[in-house]
Amino acid sequence: MLGKIKELFKKKAPDLSVTNELWELLQGEKYDEVVFGAEKLLNNKSEAIAKDACKLMGMSLFRQAKYQEALPYFQKATEYKPEVNDWLNVITAATLSKNIDAGRSAFEKAVQLQLDTGNKEQPSIPFMRQYYACALRDVGEFDLALEQINELRKIYEQLKITDTTFVYIRGVPFLSHTMDVAVDVFNGLGTSFDAHEWIKNFSSKLDEEGQEYLAEVSAKIHS
């Protein structure tokens, strides 16, 4: 039995070294080399290796702003026991390539996965909402981005306390980071949206620190 266990570890080591090397190349922005190596592993018998190859292909393309080309590889990676980050890759690539329906579907699956696993994976649902809102903002989908901002707003209102440490340890983005996205969304919506009223109503549900911060934000927004 011990001999068989040792043999298993011997077989796994070379596989891991292959993907580790490619991840290092990715960090070094050697995208052509990553693609060349990852393509050979896409049909690997090891699901872990095949999934890594998909992610490496997707990340290499994504980092070159080739979002549409990256999307199929990220989607393929979700077929191998997906984790939240796998869905997040799909969310971002789909949204930035303006495949809004695919992005929304992936977001819903990511949220459900978090709920099924007790919200133990990273990033948390609130952070996913912020990332999703950022992507939607970047492609001009301001109404959809506002939906995510409003969901985050509910969380802050429930917490009431806006101290950075307090919210972070609860898996919630800093209020300032969320509001940076929110202000961009408000500006994108234009005069049809009453940002000052939104902030006023939001502020009334928060602690003094949060109210002071939102007053500063409101003062910087043109009527």
Side-chain angles (χ1 to χ4, degrees):
M1 178 62 74
L2 182 59
K4 290 183 179 180
I5 292 174
K6 288 182 178 179
E7 189 63 29
L8 285 172
F9 279 107
K10 286 180 182 178
K11 290 180 180 178
K12 289 182 179 179
D15 289 342
L16 293 174
S17 68
V18 169
T19 53
N20 285 341
E21 181 181 351
L22 292 175
W23 283 111
E24 289 175 6
L25 288 171
L26 181 70
Q27 292 305 313
E29 301 182 359
K30 305 292 185 179
Y31 302 129
D32 289 341
E33 293 180 42
V34 174
V35 169
F36 180 77
E39 278 184 324
K40 299 177 181 180
L41 301 173
L42 289 172
N43 296 314
N44 195 282
K45 293 180 180 180
S46 165
E47 289 193 358
I49 300 303
K51 178 178 179 179
D52 251 8
C54 290
K55 291 167 69 174
L56 284 158
M57 291 290 292
M59 290 304 299
S60 296
L61 294 164
F62 185 89
R63 292 189 181 184
Q64 297 176 77
K66 298 177 181 178
Y67 308 124
Q68 185 65 51
E69 294 177 49
L71 180 57
Y73 293 105
F74 286 145
Q75 290 174 320
K76 182 64 178 179
T78 64
E79 296 178 13
Y80 302 100
K81 194 177 179 180
E83 301 174 9
V84 168
N85 269 313
D86 296 326
W87 286 118
L88 185 61
N89 288 337
V90 177
I91 293 166
T92 310
T95 304
L96 292 180
S97 61
K98 298 187 178 181
N99 193 333
I100 305 303
D101 289 341
R104 182 188 298 109
S105 176
F107 179 76
E108 292 171 354
K109 289 176 181 176
V111 170
Q112 188 59 54
L113 181 57
Q114 280 288 38
L115 295 175
D116 292 342
T117 58
N119 203 28
K120 294 179 180 179
E121 292 191 43
Q122 295 296 329
S124 65
I125 292 175
F127 270 99
M128 284 196 296
R129 291 193 183 282
Q130 186 196 43
Y131 299 151
Y132 187 29
C134 285
L136 289 166
R137 171 204 61 189
D138 290 348
V139 293
E141 293 287 345
F142 301 117
D143 287 317
L144 294 178
L146 182 61
E147 291 179 7
Q148 299 305 317
I149 296 297
N150 282 334
E151 290 299 318
L152 286 167
R153 170 180 165 174
K154 294 176 185 177
I155 296 172
Y156 292 115
E157 290 178 348
Q158 290 172 352
L159 294 175
K160 299 186 183 298
I161 299 172
T162 58
D163 174 75
T164 54
T165 302
F166 181 85
V167 298
Y168 186 78
I169 62 177
R170 286 162 177 77
V172 179
F174 296 161
L175 177 60
S176 60
H177 292 177
T178 295
M179 288 307 300
D180 285 344
V181 184
V183 170
D184 288 342
V185 172
F186 298 159
N187 290 334
L189 291 170
T191 56
S192 63
F193 182 80
D194 191 339
H196 292 287
E197 186 66 19
W198 188 96
I199 292 175
K200 178 183 176 181
N201 292 335
F202 182 24
S203 177
S204 67
K205 306 291 180 59
L206 303 180
D207 59 7
E208 184 176 347
E209 181 180 343
Q211 291 176 9
E212 291 176 356
Y213 168 71
L214 288 181
E216 295 174 3
V217 173
S218 185
K220 296 176 182 178
I221 298 176
H222 298 295
S223 302

